[in-house]
Amino acid sequence: MTSLAPIAVALDAPDLETAARWASLVTPHVSTVKVGLELYLRYGPDVVASVRGASRVEVFLDLKLHDIPATVEGAARVVSRLRPAYLTVHATGGAAMIRAAVEAAPTTKIAAVTVLTSLHDRDLAGIGLNGPASDAVRRLAVMSVAAGAQALVCSPQEAAAVRVEVGPEITLITPGVRPEGSAAQDQMRVATPEEALSAGADLLVIGRPITGSPDPGAAAAGIAAALRRTSTATR
């Protein structure tokens, strides 16, 4: 049996029916589907059951929680009932907030988002974060893991450096992944799927290159096959 590719398909769909259809098309090829904030706010918990369907696909709930520890603790406890494999919180919420999420959702991997891939070095000063982005990501990664985060979200360009800092047990999730020839769109720090895996990423977030295709299932299958070829060639 062919193993599923370590890809989280971002289901940024206009409606629940489209999200569920995309999920059914890609789940034969990928390990994970990602539900973002907009879709979750529009449809609530029902969206998780809809995209999971009858499959065993893992659900990545990308809500990027960021509030005082007590509020994040309560929110994480509520959404953990949906059994997501991953739940994101913003690392800039601080160690106490991350720890609260981890304790409230013991069966879910809390993934701390370091620096958004839409941000460039020049953006960091404007939000009061000392750069460059690579340094800020490493600092936030170390703090998050010390607070109990089991996964980190960083761009592929920082994955190798983060892996050195946090070791092999932490799951590295990389958005900003674009197949060769795809437009970067609103992502600033990007890489191809092959480059991201080579840098040490465990799970690649890919959205529009798959869901914007006329056949999302075929697009997912093509990227999965390319990753398998790369993996075989580097053994």
Side-chain angles (χ1 to χ4, degrees):
M1 180 178 176
T2 302
S3 61
L4 298 175
I7 294 171
V9 177
L11 302 176
D12 298 323
D15 54 66
L16 188 59
E17 292 74 19
T18 301
R21 180 172 60 84
W22 286 349
S24 68
L25 291 171
V26 303
T27 49
H29 313 290
V30 306
S31 66
T32 310
V33 292
K34 184 175 83 72
V35 173
L37 183 61
E38 182 179 355
L39 197 63
Y40 189 82
L41 289 178
R42 187 178 297 163
Y43 296 105
D46 289 347
V47 70
V48 175
S50 295
V51 302
R52 185 178 277 138
S55 73
R56 295 185 177 181
V57 68
E58 293 191 326
V59 175
F60 175 6
L61 200 51
D62 189 16
L63 302 185
K64 297 185 178 72
L65 302 177
H66 192 172
D67 212 309
I68 63 172
T71 299
V72 168
E73 178 183 4
R77 181 174 294 111
V78 169
V79 297
S80 71
R81 298 168 189 164
L82 304 174
R83 295 179 292 107
Y86 304 94
L87 171 66
T88 51
V89 302
H90 269 295
T92 50
M97 188 204 77
I98 294 168
R99 193 173 299 112
V102 170
E103 292 173 357
T107 62
T108 295
K109 281 190 175 182
I110 298 300
V113 179
T114 55
V115 175
L116 296 172
T117 53
S118 59
L119 297 176
H120 194 275
D121 287 351
R122 63 178 173 269
D123 298 315
L124 299 185
I127 59 175
L129 195 60
N130 291 332
S134 57
D135 290 348
V137 167
R138 288 203 308 273
R139 292 194 306 270
L140 290 168
V142 170
M143 178 272 294
S144 299
V145 170
Q150 304 99 327
L152 296 164
V153 181
C154 62
S155 94
Q157 295 181 12
E158 293 101 35
V162 169
R163 178 64 73 200
V164 170
E165 293 282 357
V166 303
E169 301 302 319
I170 301 300
T171 300
L172 295 190
I173 302 171
T174 55
V177 176
R178 293 286 186 270
E180 194 71 45
S182 298
Q185 294 164 314
D186 55 354
Q187 306 283 357
M188 297 296 294
R189 305 187 325 277
V190 301
T192 67
E194 295 83 0
E195 289 168 342
L197 280 186
S198 296
D202 297 300
L203 185 63
L204 317 180
V205 178
I206 305 176
R208 286 163 285 193
I210 292 176
T211 59
S213 167
D215 186 343
I223 296 172
L227 289 177
R228 283 193 294 273
R229 288 193 296 271
T230 299
S231 177
T232 300
T234 54
R235 284 176 186 168

